[in-house]
Amino acid sequence: MDELTKKLNNLLKERAELDLNLYDRLYKSILQEAIQGRLVPQIESEGTAEELLTEIRAEKMRLVKEGKLKKSALAKESRIFRGGDNRYYLKNGMETNCIDDYLFDIPITWQWITLGELVVDTTGLSYKKETLTDRSEPFIRVLRGGNIEDGIMKFRDDDVFISAKYVPTNLSLTKGMYISPAVSSLEKIGKTAIVDRSYTDTVVGGFVLMLTPTFDDPELGRYLYYFFQSGFYQNYCRKITKKSGHAFYNLSRKKLVICPVPIPPKAELKRILSTLDKVVAGIMSR
């Protein structure tokens, strides 16, 4: 009986893994359809993505003028454009390279931009191990790559806590920010969570990136979240890593900010989100 029970448990485990893999593949497939402009039809009267990009860039300039964003965020900006040969090129600083080979087709009303036009990347808290012995209150929770699971930021029982005296207040997590491992196992590279609310008692560690939006548009923020969960984005992240030690990989921040992001017109973006929310909810309920 023990042997039969063992075989049954193994079969149930294999079934659970197959179901999980099927869900993940279906989810990734739907996301790919969404970011390629195949999830909902295009409507000519909805205009083009250029109108949304104009809003994004105006918001970025406003943040710079108000001192909420460094001027260097504009100086480092890269652009994707279509050349006279109908191929896509990336202008990054003084360099211009053809990137047509690793892009996919998008509708004519859409536009490719770089991730650096949408977010500013910064690293989390760096600290010395000996500071953890200081038990002066209040304490700040420090999140690591393992706190990011299935696109969600989760607290863990083994989280690190450090005295607030060692934590700059500007490192606190704010609502709408994204967090993603900069140094981790290859499996976790590219995994990204959105911060659900602002925290005064939680930061990320130095091996985790904070991606702060340069726009104030909740719907665009949700679309970008879905893009981060796509196979295209996560595969891109894995390709721009360098192995460090036995089991860890370093993500190239310079290459991350030039990751191509497909942007739809604003009205179509809303329809994509509405459809995605319904489809994803249906998958998760199974």
Side-chain angles (χ1 to χ4, degrees), residues 46 48-49 52 55 217 219 264-271:
E46 291 181 344
T48 69
L52 176 57
E55 293 181 17
D217 186 330
E219 290 174 332
K266 192 168 186 175
E268 184 175 344
L269 183 148
K270 292 180 180 180
R271 291 191 290 115

Side-chain angles (χ1 to χ4, degrees), residues 57 60 72-79 91-93 114 116-117:
R57 288 161 183 162
K60 195 171 185 178
S72 59
L74 297 177
K76 295 178 181 178
E77 202 168 78
S78 302
R79 293 292 172 91
K91 180 173 175 54
N92 184 29
T114 61
E117 289 192 67

Side-chain angles (χ1 to χ4, degrees), residues 121-132:
D121 67 300
T122 52
T123 54
L125 176 70
S126 294
Y127 57 89
K128 296 179 180 179
K129 287 186 177 180
E130 52 264 31
T131 59
L132 298 179

Side-chain angles (χ1 to χ4, degrees), residues 58-69 213-215:
E59 175 71 7
K60 195 171 185 178
M61 289 292 295
R62 183 183 68 80
L63 292 173
V64 170
K65 288 180 180 179
E66 293 179 358
K68 297 178 181 179
L69 196 62
T214 59
F215 55 85

Side-chain angles (χ1 to χ4, degrees), residues 116-164:
E117 289 192 67
L118 296 173
V119 299
V120 173
D121 67 300
T122 52
T123 54
L125 176 70
S126 294
Y127 57 89
K128 296 179 180 179
K129 287 186 177 180
E130 52 264 31
T131 59
L132 298 179
T133 61
D134 186 340
R135 308 317 294 164
S136 304
E137 296 185 355
F139 295 115
I140 302 295
R141 184 189 297 264
V142 183
L143 305 183
R144 295 161 289 178
N147 292 96
I148 302 169
E149 298 179 20
D150 301 322
I152 300 172
M153 184 183 85
K154 297 181 178 180
F155 293 157
R156 294 164 51 114
D157 292 338
D158 63 348
D159 283 345
V160 171
F161 287 85
I162 187 171
S163 176

Side-chain angles (χ1 to χ4, degrees), residues 116-284:
E117 289 192 67
L118 296 173
V119 299
V120 173
D121 67 300
T122 52
T123 54
L125 176 70
S126 294
Y127 57 89
K128 296 179 180 179
K129 287 186 177 180
E130 52 264 31
T131 59
L132 298 179
T133 61
D134 186 340
R135 308 317 294 164
S136 304
E137 296 185 355
F139 295 115
I140 302 295
R141 184 189 297 264
V142 183
L143 305 183
R144 295 161 289 178
N147 292 96
I148 302 169
E149 298 179 20
D150 301 322
I152 300 172
M153 184 183 85
K154 297 181 178 180
F155 293 157
R156 294 164 51 114
D157 292 338
D158 63 348
D159 283 345
V160 171
F161 287 85
I162 187 171
S163 176
K165 68 171 70 173
Y166 303 107
V167 183
T169 55
N170 64 348
L171 289 183
S172 296
L173 299 181
T174 58
K175 184 177 180 179
M177 177 188 289
Y178 308 94
I179 58 173
S180 185
V183 181
S184 187
S185 65
L186 192 59
E187 180 186 358
K188 288 190 173 294
I189 288 291
K191 302 293 186 182
T192 307
I194 190 169
V195 179
D196 60 342
R197 63 180 179 85
S198 295
Y199 293 83
T200 58
D201 58 354
T202 306
V203 298
V204 295
F207 289 159
V208 178
L209 287 178
M210 296 180 290
L211 305 176
T212 305
T214 59
F215 55 85
D216 184 18
D217 186 330
E219 290 174 332
L220 179 57
R222 283 171 55 216
Y223 173 80
L224 186 56
Y225 168 79
Y226 277 127
F227 172 76
F228 284 142
Q229 311 313 312
S230 71
F232 173 79
Y233 174 74
Q234 293 180 0
N235 289 334
Y236 177 89
C237 288
R238 294 182 184 116
K239 290 176 181 177
I240 60 170
T241 60
K242 183 177 180 181
K243 195 167 185 181
S244 173
H246 178 66
F248 290 96
Y249 289 78
N250 291 323
L251 181 72
S252 170
R253 292 172 61 191
K254 289 183 178 180
K255 293 180 180 178
L256 180 67
V257 294
I258 59 174
C259 174
V261 183
I263 298 294
K266 192 168 186 175
E268 184 175 344
L269 183 148
K270 292 180 180 180
R271 291 191 290 115
I272 290 171
L273 289 175
S274 177
T275 302
L276 271 178
D277 290 344
K278 293 175 184 176
V279 172
V280 171
I283 294 173
M284 295 183 68

